[in-house]
Amino acid sequence: MKPIVAPSLLSADFGNLEKDVQMLNRSQADWIHLDVMDGVFVPNISFGMPVIKRVRQLSEKPLDVHLMIVQPERYIHTFKEVGADLLTVHWEASTHLHRTICQIKEEGMLAGVALNPHTPVAGLEDIINDVNLVLIMSVNPGFGGQKFIKRALHKISELREMIERNDSEALIEVDGGVCQDNIADIVSAGADAVVAGNAVFKAEDPEIAIQNLKNA
Ligand code: DX5
Ligand code: ZN
């Protein structure tokens, strides 16, 4: 099965986002991945609502918004308003994760939960039938262009097994250090979707890079 490919705009040209979004519209990308960072949950600050709102106007693809922020429940409605289709919060940042997941779905978005590299998959057992997507971080969140942490492959298989055991329909998405060299292993471990920042935007031809990831 071909993976869902979600290029991350974090590695795009912020001086000309329109050009990059148009390239994604033409490409085989399935979703556009948007990394929101608050400088508290992660040691970096990226972009927020006005940027997403503009990308929504330009994009023909669904927006996959990854919140790396503390207390994400404060902004669920706002991210719906600016155009998120899928909203992912971090397990580590959510005290009342079940409530947050329900609120995201009540707003009409798909709900995702992200796990940092040190967070065990087992912590999802009681929520696996409520989420639409689990995002396995294969780098420590905060920056693009880092090296894939191999242990993530084991977590993907473990999660796949949990999803099947529970008859869950959750998708598995993998984020961080994904490239042409490791995508086949990621997909055979059980991933449905991959995020790719540098592997797309630092490539000589980003459209071809997306096509290659899609068909790896
Ligand atoms: C990292 C972000 C990623 C990042 C991926 O915190 O969540 O989405 O943009 O970038 P690459 O693919 O370059 O590792
Ligand atoms: Zn991300």
Side-chain angles (χ1 to χ4, degrees), residues 68-128:
M68 283 159 274
I69 65 173
V70 296
Q71 298 181 299
E73 63 280 359
R74 290 176 300 162
Y75 296 109
I76 294 170
H77 179 67
T78 314
F79 280 106
K80 170 66 185 177
E81 276 187 338
V82 296
D85 295 286
L86 198 163
L87 193 63
T88 296
V89 298
H90 264 265
W91 190 94
E92 305 82 7
S94 310
T95 312
H96 300 287
L97 183 56
H98 183 271
R99 180 187 291 146
T100 301
I101 291 300
C102 292
Q103 287 172 345
I104 294 173
K105 294 196 291 190
E106 278 160 20
E107 286 281 355
M109 297 177 283
L110 294 175
V113 177
L115 298 187
N116 276 340
H118 76 279
T119 305
V121 164
L124 292 172
E125 190 90 45
D126 294 312
I127 207 164
I128 199 66

